[in-house]
Amino acid sequence: MFLRFRDKIILMPPTAPPNRRPLTLGIAWLALTLVFLVIGFREAIFIAPPDAAQGNVGRIFYWHVPSAMLGLVFPYVNFFASVAFLYLRRRNPHAALTADAWAIAAAEVTLVFTSICLATGMLWGKAVWGIWWAWDARLTSLLLLWLLYVAYLITRRLSTPGQTSTVGAILAVFAAIDVPIVYFSIQWFRTQHPSPVFGGDGSLDPTMYPAFLWNVAAWLMWGILILAFRFALERRRQRLDQSAILAALNPANDGANPGMEPGHAF
């Protein structure tokens, strides 16, 4: 992989020998995540009592709320990684590439969680409110966050080479600003969205805590798994791009350039 800064191309260090330890750890994490997901599903569907006011429709809560919570956490992974990229891109290009890989991975995980949140919220709204969508402050601000990350990923794919990561990082800043607006919207604005889960009138009944906490833990583990997996894929793509540029620069050596020092600038 290379970074283009003005008239320079910065090459990444050569690929390290394969290390099977991350694969083993990933498989173990996946197995544990599946166990937590199964337990969370069992608690939510078969163990937890029906909601006193909503009946079985209220069980959507066990997937809607964890996805909503995590959809507001991973944007800050994207934000801090994007800020790190902007800071490091001229000081330490190789570290900047790593930060950029974390940024795009976190953006995709955020889009998944916000999509699940919107979908489950619409299902709940149809059953309880009688409509699929209301231009409620919480729903509208979350939709804006979802659109920002759609724009982020489209920008990453379509923007001019060399500017992709920078433009994406700027969008990440706007998305981070929207997160507290989503969170506090039900306190700042008149809204028909239910009260917060913790505190206020929306406090959970103690019998609902086990199902809720199992699902929060399970979906957090799943999010971390997908984040790490997508980060590894992005780093692999970066290294494949490095091989391609080396091959283009020196086709006679099949992409290898023994005289090239890591971090050498052209």
Side-chain angles (χ1 to χ4, degrees):
M1 177 60 180
F2 62 91
L3 285 176
R4 184 182 297 277
F5 298 131
R6 297 181 182 174
D7 59 341
K8 295 183 178 181
I9 296 176
I10 309 297
L11 294 174
M12 291 175 61
T15 305
N19 183 357
R20 294 191 175 274
R21 185 175 298 176
L23 177 61
T24 303
L25 180 61
I27 292 173
W29 188 269
L30 172 61
L32 189 60
T33 299
L34 292 175
V35 170
F36 272 61
L37 286 170
V38 169
I39 294 175
F41 180 84
R42 178 176 177 272
E43 288 282 343
I45 298 299
F46 301 109
I47 306 299
D51 185 89
Q54 304 169 25
N56 285 323
V57 172
R59 296 185 191 277
I60 295 175
F61 159 89
Y62 297 114
W63 291 275
H64 175 73
V65 175
S67 64
M69 293 169 60
L70 296 172
L72 300 182
V73 169
F74 284 100
Y76 282 103
V77 178
N78 171 255
F79 170 72
F80 287 117
S82 297
V83 170
F85 169 81
L86 292 174
Y87 178 78
L88 294 169
R89 57 183 178 156
R90 288 186 173 84
R91 294 173 175 82
N92 188 340
H94 304 139
L97 279 175
T98 301
D100 189 51
W102 282 117
I104 192 169
E108 293 182 359
V109 173
T110 297
L111 187 62
V112 170
F113 277 119
T114 52
S115 297
I116 294 173
C117 179
L118 287 171
T120 52
M122 290 170 66
L123 289 172
W124 180 89
K126 178 60 177 175
V128 176
W129 293 341
I131 53 175
W132 291 103
W133 183 263
W135 291 103
D136 179 87
R138 169 62 66 84
L139 276 65
T140 304
S141 56
L142 182 63
L143 177 62
L144 176 60
L145 183 66
W146 183 85
L147 289 172
L148 282 169
Y149 276 102
V150 170
Y152 177 96
L153 295 175
I154 292 175
T155 300
R156 293 294 304 250
R157 181 174 293 272
L158 299 180
S159 60
T160 305
Q163 298 297 319
T164 301
S165 301
T166 303
V167 175
I170 294 171
L171 277 174
V173 173
F174 285 101
I177 293 172
D178 187 46
V179 169
I181 297 175
V182 176
Y183 182 79
F184 289 108
S185 59
I186 54 179
Q187 300 176 30
W188 292 347
F189 307 104
R190 181 177 298 176
T191 173
Q192 64 190 84
H193 191 278
S195 301
V197 171
F198 300 103
D201 297 332
S203 298
L204 286 180
D205 185 273
T207 59
M208 301 174 71
Y209 272 107
F212 175 68
L213 294 176
W214 273 109
N215 278 287
V216 169
W219 288 107
L220 174 61
M221 293 175 65
W222 182 82
I224 293 172
L225 175 70
I226 300 303
L227 178 72
F229 180 72
R230 184 60 186 87
F231 169 77
L233 285 180
E234 184 63 18
R235 292 293 285 167
R236 178 179 176 83
R237 184 195 66 78
Q238 291 175 348
R239 296 192 183 280
L240 289 175
D241 285 352
Q242 175 191 12
S243 298
I245 193 63
L246 285 174
L249 291 171
N250 195 356
N253 285 338
D254 248 351
N257 193 339
M260 182 76 62
E261 293 294 331
H264 184 79
F266 286 80

